């Protein structure tokens, strides 16, 4: 589906209970406009692919939201208690080196990289706000929800690995399966695991799948 500059400026994207794609290659889609679209369409999840397509999905239904919350809760608690870094929900988008803007279900950035990001932002002294992180998180997790396709999320996980992520978890709660991604390696497929270890990238952390299944 193609969309014009005028269509985007209305900030009103047609509602659908299915995922659909808008071709915005002919539009000057600034970070400000993309952020505005996301903020004014709360019943959508909006991301930008590297080839200039907006991917628009409905918000997570229940119980998908419960699964996503559990994932974020566990990683956030570990990061806070161990003071390892910053954790982000799917409300935060990251611009990858290939130009895509994705918002993982949950992501984590270690303290060292977070401090570097802050220093870089201060050094720029730009007047406009930074709407998206300009680096890929070290950990990315994606939940395969009711309205997602496994193939699409697998391709996205590969993009994360190619653009700087060190560890990725693609979690399919309906099949009780976890796909573990690391750069330069084939995905590891875990069937009905009770726990998934984050070592060595997330020292001492284990994701408890019993809270999700």
């Amino acid at each position: 589906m193609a969309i014009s500059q005028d269509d985007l400026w209305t900030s009103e994207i047609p509602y659908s209970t299915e995922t659909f794609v808008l071709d915005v290659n002919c539009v000057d889609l600034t970070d400000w406009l993309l952020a505005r679209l996301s903020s004014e369409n709360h019943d959508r999840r909006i991301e930008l692919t590297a080839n200039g397509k907006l991917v628009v999905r409905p918000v997570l239904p229940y119980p998908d939201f419960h699964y996503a919350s559990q994932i974020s809760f566990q990683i956030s608690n570990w990061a806070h208690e161990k003071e390892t870094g910053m954790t982000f929900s799917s409300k935060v988008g990251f611009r990858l080196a290939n130009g895509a803007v994705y918002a993982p279900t949950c992501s984590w950035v270690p303290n060292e990289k977070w401090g570097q990001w802050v220093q870089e932002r201060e050094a720029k002294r730009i007047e406009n706000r930074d709407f998206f992180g300009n680096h890929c998180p070290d950990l990315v997790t994606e939940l395969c929800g009711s309205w997602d396709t496994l193939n699409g999320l697998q391709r996205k996980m590969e993009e994360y690995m190619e653009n700087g992520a060190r560890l990725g978890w693609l979690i399919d709660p309906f099949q009780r399966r976890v796909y573990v991604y690391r750069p330069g390696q084939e995905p590891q497929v875990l069937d009905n695991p009770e726990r998934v270890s984050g070592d060595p990238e997330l020292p001492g952390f284990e994701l408890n799948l019993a809270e999700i299944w």
Side-chain angles (χ1 to χ4, degrees), residues 91-122:
K91 297 295 185 181
V92 178
F94 296 90
R95 183 174 290 282
L96 308 187
N98 66 0
V101 177
Y102 291 147
T105 299
C106 182
S107 55
W108 170 81
V109 177
N111 286 322
E112 297 78 9
K113 182 176 288 186
W114 174 250
Q116 179 184 352
W117 290 6
V118 172
Q119 290 178 1
E120 289 178 358
R121 187 177 187 278
E122 291 177 349

Side-chain angles (χ1 to χ4, degrees), residues 189-208:
V189 182
L190 306 177
D191 286 313
N192 199 25
E194 292 186 1
R195 294 179 177 271
V196 177
S197 173
D199 282 324
E201 294 84 4
L202 281 66
F205 177 71
E206 287 187 333
L207 183 65
N208 183 3

Side-chain angles (χ1 to χ4, degrees), residues 97-150:
N98 66 0
V101 177
Y102 291 147
T105 299
C106 182
S107 55
W108 170 81
V109 177
N111 286 322
E112 297 78 9
K113 182 176 288 186
W114 174 250
Q116 179 184 352
W117 290 6
V118 172
Q119 290 178 1
E120 289 178 358
R121 187 177 187 278
E122 291 177 349
K124 291 177 183 177
R125 297 185 180 277
I126 57 176
E127 296 180 0
N128 295 327
R129 294 171 54 193
D130 287 336
F131 294 100
F132 308 107
N134 288 317
H135 303 272
C136 186
D138 282 43
L139 167 73
V140 290
T141 65
E142 289 284 3
L143 175 73
C144 187
S146 303
W147 294 327
D148 293 311
T149 64
L150 181 60

Side-chain angles (χ1 to χ4, degrees), residues 19-208:
T19 296
F20 64 98
V21 178
L22 304 174
D23 186 343
V24 295
N25 278 291
C26 61
V27 175
D28 181 16
L29 185 60
T30 64
D31 281 2
W32 179 86
L33 181 52
L34 180 56
R36 175 184 168 182
L37 284 169
S38 297
S39 65
E40 295 190 9
N41 291 274
H42 300 292
D43 54 352
R44 317 290 196 279
R45 292 179 289 162
I46 302 174
E47 295 180 310
L48 178 68
T49 68
N51 61 352
K53 306 292 178 61
L54 278 184
V55 180
V56 182
R57 296 178 291 169
V59 295
L60 290 173
Y62 182 86
D64 296 4
F65 183 79
H66 167 72
Y67 302 144
S69 297
Q70 277 295 329
I71 296 168
S72 297
F73 176 75
Q74 292 186 43
I75 298 173
S76 297
N77 274 0
W78 166 80
H80 177 72
E81 292 176 0
K82 302 299 182 181
E83 299 182 345
T84 60
M86 303 293 291
T87 308
F88 302 93
S89 72
S90 59
K91 297 295 185 181
V92 178
F94 296 90
R95 183 174 290 282
L96 308 187
N98 66 0
V101 177
Y102 291 147
T105 299
C106 182
S107 55
W108 170 81
V109 177
N111 286 322
E112 297 78 9
K113 182 176 288 186
W114 174 250
Q116 179 184 352
W117 290 6
V118 172
Q119 290 178 1
E120 289 178 358
R121 187 177 187 278
E122 291 177 349
K124 291 177 183 177
R125 297 185 180 277
I126 57 176
E127 296 180 0
N128 295 327
R129 294 171 54 193
D130 287 336
F131 294 100
F132 308 107
N134 288 317
H135 303 272
C136 186
D138 282 43
L139 167 73
V140 290
T141 65
E142 289 284 3
L143 175 73
C144 187
S146 303
W147 294 327
D148 293 311
T149 64
L150 181 60
N151 288 341
L153 288 176
Q154 287 174 327
R155 289 194 297 271
K156 185 189 291 186
M157 295 300 294
E158 292 170 358
E159 279 189 79
Y160 287 134
M161 296 303 111
E162 294 167 356
N163 285 271
R166 296 194 296 133
L167 176 64
W169 289 328
L170 173 53
I171 300 170
D172 185 344
F174 304 101
Q175 298 297 323
R176 296 195 172 190
R177 185 171 294 156
V178 178
Y179 301 82
V180 181
Y181 287 77
R182 287 184 169 89
Q185 301 181 23
E186 289 295 318
Q188 180 184 11
V189 182
L190 306 177
D191 286 313
N192 199 25
E194 292 186 1
R195 294 179 177 271
V196 177
S197 173
D199 282 324
E201 294 84 4
L202 281 66
F205 177 71
E206 287 187 333
L207 183 65
N208 183 3

